[in-house]
Amino acid sequence: MTASVPPFSEIAVAAKAWPGPAWLTGARQAALDRFALAGLPTTRLEAWRTTPLPDFGTALGPGAPSAGGQGAAVVAPFRSHGAVTLVFVDGFHSAELSSPESEWPKGVRLSPLSRLLATAPEEALAWLTVDAAFSGALHDLNTAAFRDGATIVVEDGVQVPVELRVILAATHGDRPVAEHVRHHVQVGRGSSLRLTVAVLGAPDALGFINNRTTVAMAESSRLDLVRVHESPAGVPHFDALAATLGAKAEFTDTVLQTGPSWTRSEIEIALVGERASADLGGVFVARGNQMSDIHTLLSHQAPGVISRQNYRGLAADDARGVFHGQIRVEALARGADAVQNNRNMLLSKRAQVHSTPALEIQTDDVKCKHGSATGQIDQAQLFYLRSRGIDPKDATLMLTRAFAGEILSRVTAAETRELVEAQIAPSLEALGVAA
Amino acid sequence: MLRITDLHAKAGDKPILKGLSLSVNGGEVHAIMGPNGSGKSTLAHVLAGRPGYTVTGGEVLYKSSPLFDMAPEVRAREGVFLAYQYPVELPGVSNLYFLRSALNAIRRHRGESEMDAMDFLAIAKEKARFVELDETLVKRNVNEGFSGGEKKRNEIFQMAVLEPSLAILDETDSGLDIDALRIVAKGVNRLRSEDRAMIVVTHYQRLLEYIVPDFVHVLIDGKIALSGGKDLALELESKGYEWLEKEPVQARG
């Protein structure tokens, strides 16, 4: 029975056949050893205290391409609006579903990681072997088992005129299969890029998505990132984003976590250059027995850096949400300015959200504010709508949509905004309303 | 239109309405006056169906049907409209979207077709002019960042769009300066019609200089202590409510 074989040994066996330079094989083996030693995280670990892992079943082994042709339908809504897309089905690049290379913008080196490792692996050496502070078993598992991903390198002084989209589709329906995906985005000096990353799947898909993105931003660069986390119920999704911001770099990230699967997003931003700024926001919509978790770590390491965080959560039925926002201000970061805001709305008596700010401040010369509020839907607002003839279900939807809308309004590009609104609408409509 | 018979109601655990009776016909404007705590706002809220109140006795017939058998949204679709003393802010909900949803809920209830955004915009603009509400406010989020006067005007604007049969104005004058009061009153007067009844709840006679009622009722301790014509308001202005609180007076008019 394969289920009794620990996943790391399956990966170790499979990895022997994977192409790649010796340093990568070494890094994979080291990561696998760490994973084998630590095991999967449990709620005994501080970082996982409020987030029990789902039952992965047999979904932790090495990935495998699927024969089914469901990818096209899954990614269809995101392959429009003139954006340039890179599509990965079950963790493997699909040239067929991606934009043709003739459409790729100038000044940007785009490549599936599998191809980069086959042709110019030294280009990946620097970022593939650096580990972010959010270390842990699932990160190690990713390093040990990733097969593909998007690599995007914007050269210096390039304002990329089109939006890039990286789309992941989980489609294995016969048995649970893992996909460990690794992306890297590099934005050159004075350059700018708009990037949307969508993690999706066929409704009946089974498996586990372990998606990890590293971002390196050079001086005075700009990256506007929008992420849609909507993996199907049978595909838990662990996501890690680690970005390093150079001087005066401007980074925005908006994450929509709409389930219905178990989902955890770790977001780790290092503001290492003077006056770098990060403006982060996100909303989760959790229902049924879903677990939705957002963990942030904003590390302020240089003078005059600025961070903004605005996260919201909606939880219905028996759903559980977690927001953990850590702000770290190092002694060097004089004049740092950090604001964190978290608001959650509970739509049933059984729904829960754990909201925890964590501040570590090493200098007096800092402006730091944080606020957190979790409550039910406002009864006075609800009654106001009902007293105008609107039934309670529609009234609730109006209020939850408005609540999430503040996060959606962060997405300023009209076509992207339309896309994310259409994406989140069914999740909001599906929220159970308890009177 | 509305017949209230021996109505008893509690706000939380506290009995507030203690045997209130009142009949309102189409086309009439009734003013409900009375000291603080006499039950004026409770009456308005109970009629609209606001949670937190319990009806403990009596009967209310609206268009010959028992009002309390209807959920608040059904009352609204049947033509009951409450203009709030403290209109609620709805951040992120646009006035136009909100009101079109409300109007379409009413239209569906009547078996009429729904109105699309374009047609509705034309109506909203016309009604905004009618009640002198700035068009920019019409397009903003519901009451968000509105001044007190703008919120009250927005209530009257909603009333103009939804065209209720029975409008209940709960202390619409509170917090308004004289200019804002005039504009609100002008809007209300333009909405007076043969088939629309209004109940104007107010503490002060001042509003009734601008919205001249057909009947004035004085509410004391949860009951109507005295009823009369529009001149009763003037009498109350000079004499206050105290003489009514001391000894019960026979209803006049």
Side-chain angles (χ1 to χ4, degrees), chain A residues 381 384 386-389 401, chain B residues 73 77 82 84 155 158:
Chain A
Q381 293 180 337
Y384 190 75
R386 291 180 69 188
S387 75
R388 295 295 180 251
R401 200 181 273 156
Chain B
E73 58 274 15
R77 291 172 206 159
L82 171 66
Y84 285 71
E155 294 290 293
Q158 292 175 30

Side-chain angles (χ1 to χ4, degrees), chain A residues 73-300:
Chain A
V74 172
V75 304
F78 283 82
R79 290 175 71 209
S80 52
H81 306 114
V84 168
T85 55
L86 264 180
V87 175
F88 297 85
V89 177
D90 297 312
F92 293 87
H93 176 238
S94 163
E96 182 196 343
L97 296 177
S98 300
S99 297
E101 291 186 28
S102 59
E103 289 179 11
W104 290 4
K106 291 193 171 60
V108 184
R109 278 178 286 147
L110 274 178
S111 176
L113 178 56
S114 53
R115 188 188 302 171
L116 190 72
L117 288 174
T119 56
E122 64 285 354
E123 286 187 26
L125 173 66
W127 53 267
L128 263 184
T129 50
V130 168
D131 260 314
F134 265 135
S135 58
L138 293 173
H139 300 267
D140 286 331
L141 192 61
N142 183 291
T143 299
F146 76 84
R147 301 294 301 281
D148 214 338
T151 63
I152 300 167
V153 178
V154 183
E155 286 160 7
D156 290 349
V158 176
Q159 319 306 315
V160 182
V162 292
E163 182 183 318
L164 300 190
R165 291 201 185 133
V166 172
I167 314 168
L168 270 61
T171 73
H172 278 287
D174 46 349
R175 66 190 175 94
V177 178
E179 48 187 288
H180 307 276
V181 192
R182 187 74 169 255
H183 315 285
H184 182 67
V185 181
Q186 210 165 301
V187 190
R189 186 180 303 226
S191 298
S192 68
L193 174 68
R194 286 190 294 131
L195 174 65
T196 296
V197 179
V199 177
L200 312 167
D204 60 349
L206 299 170
F208 168 52
I209 295 176
N210 185 349
N211 189 44
R212 182 168 190 183
T213 307
T214 47
V215 173
M217 294 179 69
E219 189 180 327
S220 302
S221 63
R222 180 176 182 97
L223 173 61
D224 292 300
L225 184 60
V226 173
R227 297 182 295 147
V228 175
H229 290 172
E230 191 163 274
S231 55
V235 185
H237 170 199
F238 175 73
D239 200 282
L241 168 73
T244 305
L245 277 57
K248 288 182 271 178
E250 292 174 41
F251 175 61
T252 73
D253 174 45
T254 303
V255 60
L256 310 178
Q257 202 152 286
T258 52
S261 72
W262 178 99
T263 307
R264 169 163 164 136
S265 293
E266 296 185 355
I267 298 162
E268 181 204 326
I269 312 297
L271 298 140
V272 300
E274 278 191 37
R275 289 191 283 148
S277 72
D279 181 355
L280 312 180
V283 59
F284 63 74
V285 182
R287 58 188 193 275
N289 289 308
Q290 197 197 331
M291 169 93 231
S292 200
D293 176 342
I294 294 177
H295 261 67
T296 67
L297 168 56
L298 274 283
S299 178
H300 304 72

Side-chain angles (χ1 to χ4, degrees), chain B residues 202-216:
Chain B
T202 182
H203 185 73
Y204 299 105
Q205 184 268 343
R206 191 179 67 159
L207 176 68
L208 304 180
E209 285 175 23
Y210 299 97
I211 303 172
V212 180
D214 301 303
F215 302 93
V216 174

Side-chain angles (χ1 to χ4, degrees), chain B residues 1-3 22-31 165-169 188 191-200 211-217:
Chain B
M1 177 83 65
L2 184 73
R3 202 169 74 218
L22 176 69
S23 279
V24 178
N25 298 311
E28 294 175 354
V29 173
H30 290 246
S165 310
L166 173 66
I168 304 156
L169 279 60
V188 172
L191 293 169
R192 285 176 82 153
S193 79
E194 273 311 296
D195 48 10
R196 178 170 299 138
M198 293 191 190
I199 296 176
V200 179
I211 303 172
V212 180
D214 301 303
F215 302 93
V216 174
H217 310 276

Side-chain angles (χ1 to χ4, degrees), chain A residues 388-413:
Chain A
R388 295 295 180 251
I390 298 167
D391 75 40
K393 194 172 187 301
D394 291 343
T396 303
L397 181 58
M398 243 183 232
L399 295 175
T400 54
R401 200 181 273 156
F403 185 76
E406 182 158 317
I407 301 300
L408 299 186
S409 69
R410 295 169 50 84
V411 181
T412 48

